[in-house]
Amino acid sequence: MATSTGHASAFRDALRSSKHIVVIAGAGLSAASGIPTYHDGGGLWRTLDATALASPEAFRENPSLVWQFYHYRRNKALEAKPNAAHGVVAKMSVPQCLKKVAPNAQSFHLITQNIDRLSADALQAVIRSLTSEQPSSGQAAKTKLTVYKDSILEMHGRLFDVQCTQCDHRVEDRSTPLTPALGAADAALDTYQDAGTKTVSIPEEQLPRCEKCGALARPGVVWFNERPLYLDEINNIMYKADMCLVIGTSSQVRPASTYAYRVRRRGGKVALFNMDPSEKDIAGADFVFKGPCEVLLPAVLPELH
């Protein structure tokens, strides 16, 4: 078993000596929170190719349909809560927590392909919890809670961001529906499976608009054929990394799929936490933990649970 005591102990020993720790996260991190993935074969839009809706070309051709798809994804994310795996990773962003398992740590970064904001929400929850636990008086109260700088990099954007197609103004907006027409389109469907067979055409002027200039807005995510965010920063981070945890993702999605390889090529260690890792994934890792990450991470790193 990949979760055997000896295997976990070897990983923990390697983590204890690591200085620059990186987590590469994918859809498997949020699966237990109920976030649908492109590859799970179920849920809304199953009668349409969801990947075909996540492109600039699809938005130009049919912004109404694309916005309805993202309205659904926004609602699913609004219903979701961070799971135990999010909590473990969130505590790694806080030096006083991370040093319990990695006393030599000098930096930590989460590079996530997820757009659901659950990692950011989990970190805010950890900060609130740790702040409330601090004494209100005495010397201990003077100890300021710190978080590693730029510890979360959302390379595929943020689902709740509304981005202008003209002036690039961007704002996070968690309200729902974003427009009455999007809410009415939802109400017109008997079941979510209807979305792929029933056409609800929303006039462009009734779709989300830029609050600054009034032009048509788009979801603030990175679509297929668009350049991921923070690539220069990520390249610098990966150059220094000596420990890489790959959580809930595989060797299929570039450029994230190349990061673990680069860490290992430079002598660093790679730990894989995945439900169903491929042979290529396993061959590229020093430590492989097979199973749901919301179970594995708290078991392997109980100090962060």
Side-chain angles (χ1 to χ4, degrees):
M1 287 288 289
T3 54
S4 66
T5 302
H7 191 77
S9 179
F11 163 66
R12 287 169 58 86
D13 287 345
L15 184 61
R16 287 186 65 83
S17 63
S18 301
K19 295 181 179 179
H20 300 288
I21 300 164
V22 176
V23 167
I24 309 295
L29 177 62
S30 295
S33 296
I35 300 294
T37 71
Y38 284 127
H39 309 293
D40 65 5
L44 178 59
W45 307 99
R46 62 192 296 174
T47 55
L48 293 175
D49 180 2
T51 58
L53 296 172
S55 73
E57 295 78 16
F59 188 74
R60 283 195 295 268
E61 181 179 333
N62 195 338
S64 169
L65 182 62
V66 172
W67 259 120
Q68 289 175 64
F69 173 53
Y70 279 92
H71 172 66
Y72 159 71
R73 296 190 72 187
R74 287 168 56 91
N75 283 343
K76 293 296 288 185
L78 286 169
E79 294 168 0
K81 303 295 182 185
N83 62 57
H86 287 114
V88 170
V89 175
K91 286 187 176 180
M92 291 182 175
S93 284
V94 181
Q96 73 181 57
C97 296
L98 180 59
K99 288 184 180 294
K100 294 177 182 179
V101 294
N104 295 309
Q106 297 177 15
S107 69
F108 170 80
H109 294 90
L110 164 62
I111 300 169
T112 180
Q113 301 166 82
N114 298 334
I115 60 175
D116 52 43
R117 298 290 282 151
L118 290 176
S119 291
D121 291 349
L123 178 56
Q124 290 305 311
V126 165
I127 292 172
R128 287 193 300 269
S129 176
L130 292 175
T131 301
S132 68
E133 292 172 3
Q134 288 188 337
S136 57
S137 61
Q139 184 65 33
K142 298 179 181 179
T143 303
K144 184 178 179 180
L145 183 69
T146 59
V147 176
Y148 286 110
K149 183 180 179 182
D150 299 325
S151 65
I152 300 178
L153 296 175
E154 295 160 303
M155 65 183 302
H156 289 169
R158 311 196 308 185
L159 182 58
F160 301 119
D161 279 10
V162 178
Q163 179 182 339
C164 183
T165 58
Q166 298 298 318
C167 72
D168 283 336
H169 176 70
R170 177 190 294 255
V171 63
E172 184 172 38
D173 186 344
R174 297 199 182 203
S175 61
T176 188
L178 284 173
T179 70
L182 284 172
D186 243 8
L189 303 176
D190 294 327
T191 69
Y192 280 138
Q193 280 70 33
D194 285 345
T197 58
K198 291 186 177 180
T199 300
V200 180
S201 183
I202 301 175
E204 192 171 298
E205 62 270 16
Q206 296 180 28
L207 294 172
R209 315 294 294 187
C210 174
E211 64 176 19
K212 188 174 182 181
C213 74
L216 178 66
R218 55 164 281 181
V221 299
V222 175
W223 282 326
F224 293 105
N225 302 320
E226 292 184 324
R227 177 182 169 88
L229 306 177
Y230 312 115
L231 287 185
D232 291 341
E233 294 92 328
I234 291 171
N235 285 332
N236 290 334
I237 290 165
M238 300 314 301
Y239 182 78
K240 293 194 306 180
D242 56 5
M243 171 59 78
C244 179
L245 283 68
V246 180
I247 302 174
T249 188
S250 70
S251 58
Q252 298 177 15
V253 182
R254 295 178 66 92
S257 60
T258 67
Y259 295 148
Y261 168 77
R262 288 163 57 185
V263 171
R264 207 171 187 220
R265 185 180 62 185
R266 294 185 59 255
K269 299 295 185 182
V270 173
L272 175 66
F273 297 80
N274 202 333
M275 196 69 181
D276 188 24
S278 68
E279 291 184 8
K280 183 178 179 181
D281 295 330
I282 293 172
D286 299 282
F287 311 99
V288 178
F289 300 92
K290 185 176 181 179
C293 56
E294 70 276 8
V295 174
L296 292 174
L297 282 169
V300 174
L301 299 170
E303 298 93 334
L304 302 182
H305 185 39

